[in-house]
Amino acid sequence: MFTGPRSRRLTTGLAACLAGVLACLVLLTACQTEKEHSAELFVFGTIVEVKVWGASQEQSGKAFSEIQQMFQGMHRDWHAWEPGLLVQINEAFASGDGVTANPEIAEMIRQSQWVEEKSGGLFNPAIGGLVALWGFHTSDYPIIGPPPSQADIDKILAQQPSSLDIRINAVQLTSDNPFVQLDFGGIAKGYAVDLAVARLRELGIGNAIVNAGGDLRAFGRHGDRPWRVAVRKPGGGTIGTVEVRGDEALFTSGNYERFREDAEERYPHILDPRTGWPVRDVASATVITGTGTLADAAATALIVAGMNDWTTVARALGLSQVLMIDDAGRVYLTPEMANRIQFDAGVDRVVVDRAPAP
Ligand code: AMP
Ligand code: MG
């Protein structure tokens, strides 16, 4: 299972996944050096690379298969539109029934509630009804067609679905609002990465990186140097690199990869819960903080906050290391982020020190 040239294994894996074979979630590990072991897994439509430094091949292999199984379970339970636990939960909410979740979903709701509250509702995982209305409950991009009708958007907005409408009692959930439809698209990858890191630590691994296409969490070191990771930029490529300190997550939310389009316009997949319409003036938001869950959800919230309000929302979320790229490709960042990134040549940037006056 853990041998063979990397590119062939990857291609085979993707082909199998496209054919809908869930069992291909993890395909391989490669022993690149005596000290480093890595695996490439497939979950949430992304390749997740897990690298471990300084553990034995046996210990690493066990960790990789455990994480594979965890990811498989998450894919099944957290999916917003394929039949599974989350779809059942949303059905129960819609009909006003209580429902039994599991500890991971209950915790993801709790964390979502915190981010929703602190971001003033800009991050809102209960707007699954709007996400579906825009046609974003699909894996096939781009989506071609006009936007939904304003009347349909208004119908959902009028009900103000919020994760704060959900009551959690251990793993029992109820919603006061039948329009609450959970969609963890903005937070699930971060939470998955955190759970994977927690498991790696439980297994006694002291140095690792879990990297889902540039969204990642890393802890420990890569031998005698820190883990070094790239910061993605809109349209592909990177703008620079960061050396990880201790245990940190780095997530970039891009408003450019997934969209709906008609003859006139592009409608990106991140929605402003206040208007029900896609957000436009930000191309990407990058956050470095302690957990993947917060980094992921916050990056989504900052896209919604836009170029005028991002510093205020970053502060409300307790974040100091943030980088934003606007739709013209201009880079704005906090001083703390400026201290962290080693920029590629030719990247112009503006360091923004304080929130603009209200
Ligand atoms: P991300 O790539 O992490 O920014 O997540 C984007 C995904 O989050 C979308 O595809 C939707 O599933 C979901 N989403 C869209 N708008 C919001 C929002 N305002 N708050 C929370 N989740 C959202
Ligand atoms: Mg996100």
Side-chain angles (χ1 to χ4, degrees):
M1 178 181 175
F2 298 145
T3 55
R6 180 181 166 126
S7 57
R8 176 170 54 77
R9 284 179 312 223
L10 191 54
T11 318
T12 314
L14 282 171
C17 285
L18 289 173
V21 181
L22 265 184
C24 77
L25 286 176
V26 173
L27 284 201
L28 59 120
T29 64
C31 183
Q32 286 155 359
T33 71
E34 234 171 78
K35 291 271 184 182
E36 181 182 304
H37 298 91
S38 67
E40 282 177 342
L41 331 179
F42 188 83
V43 70
F44 308 136
T46 315
I47 306 267
V48 181
E49 183 182 53
V50 184
K51 274 189 194 169
V52 165
W53 177 269
S56 69
Q57 180 150 14
E58 197 190 348
Q59 197 183 15
S60 311
K62 177 172 158 45
F64 297 150
S65 8
E66 286 208 17
I67 293 173
Q68 165 193 14
Q69 277 177 19
M70 288 169 64
F71 282 169
Q72 237 163 333
M74 294 167 189
H75 188 95
R76 197 185 51 229
D77 292 343
W78 302 356
H79 211 287
W81 67 92
E82 282 176 9
L85 185 53
L86 189 62
V87 169
Q88 285 167 27
I89 290 170
N90 284 333
E91 283 168 2
F93 288 165
S95 49
D97 296 333
V99 62
T100 306
N102 62 26
E104 289 77 25
I105 289 183
E107 181 57 21
M108 195 155 37
I109 296 172
R110 265 187 226 106
Q111 305 230 13
S112 296
Q113 289 175 328
W114 188 88
V115 181
E116 185 180 334
E117 196 168 7
K118 295 284 176 199
S119 69
L122 301 186
F123 176 82
N124 181 347
I127 59 166
L130 281 171
V131 179
L133 185 64
W134 277 91
F136 294 131
H137 280 170
T138 178
S139 308
D140 296 327
Y141 283 91
I143 307 156
I144 307 295
S149 77
Q150 188 62 46
D152 284 345
I153 293 173
D154 288 343
K155 218 180 282 171
I156 298 176
L157 284 187
Q159 304 302 322
Q160 303 185 329
S162 160
S163 66
L164 301 162
D165 294 327
I166 301 171
R167 308 268 158 266
I168 309 170
N169 185 355
V171 292
Q172 299 301 314
L173 308 179
T174 49
S175 167
D176 301 338
N177 182 341
F179 279 73
V180 166
Q181 292 288 285
L182 287 169
D183 175 325
F184 291 130
I187 193 170
K189 208 199 282 179
Y191 187 47
V193 163
D194 286 345
L195 291 177
V197 163
R199 191 71 197 119
L200 287 167
R201 284 187 178 284
E202 277 167 14
L203 291 168
I205 288 170
N207 308 284
I209 181 161
V210 181
N211 186 345
D215 294 328
L216 58 95
R217 181 162 163 184
F219 62 96
R221 291 168 67 81
H222 185 278
D224 55 5
R225 65 166 174 85
W227 291 107
R228 199 169 296 129
V229 298
V231 181
R232 289 190 291 139
K233 74 169 182 203
T238 66
I239 56 168
T241 55
V242 169
E243 289 191 346
V244 176
R245 294 180 186 156
D247 180 352
E248 288 185 312
L250 179 149
F251 272 68
T252 297
S253 190
N255 207 18
Y256 43 87
E257 286 148 346
R258 287 179 276 155
F259 49 82
R260 178 183 194 96
E261 66 183 341
D262 60 15
E264 278 103 55
E265 289 215 46
R266 274 191 175 185
Y267 307 95
H269 69 127
I270 297 176
L271 303 177
D272 185 333
R274 296 166 296 191
T275 64
W277 280 74
V279 180
R280 292 162 183 287
D281 70 331
V282 185
S284 73
T286 299
V287 173
I288 299 179
T289 189
T291 67
T293 310
L294 177 57
D296 189 356
T300 307
L302 291 166
I303 295 248
V304 183
M307 298 312 296
N308 285 330
D309 294 334
W310 67 273
T311 53
T312 312
V313 173
R315 237 172 253 193
L317 289 167
L319 302 170
S320 60
Q321 301 176 63
V322 176
L323 179 147
M324 306 286 288
I325 304 182
D326 72 10
D327 57 3
R330 283 180 294 256
V331 176
Y332 297 83
L333 72 171
T334 59
E336 292 84 353
M337 186 64 117
N339 286 335
R340 297 298 307 278
I341 301 193
Q342 187 80 45
F343 279 98
D344 296 344
V347 177
D348 290 328
R349 64 257 185 196
V350 178
V351 177
V352 180
D353 211 352
R354 59 189 65 237

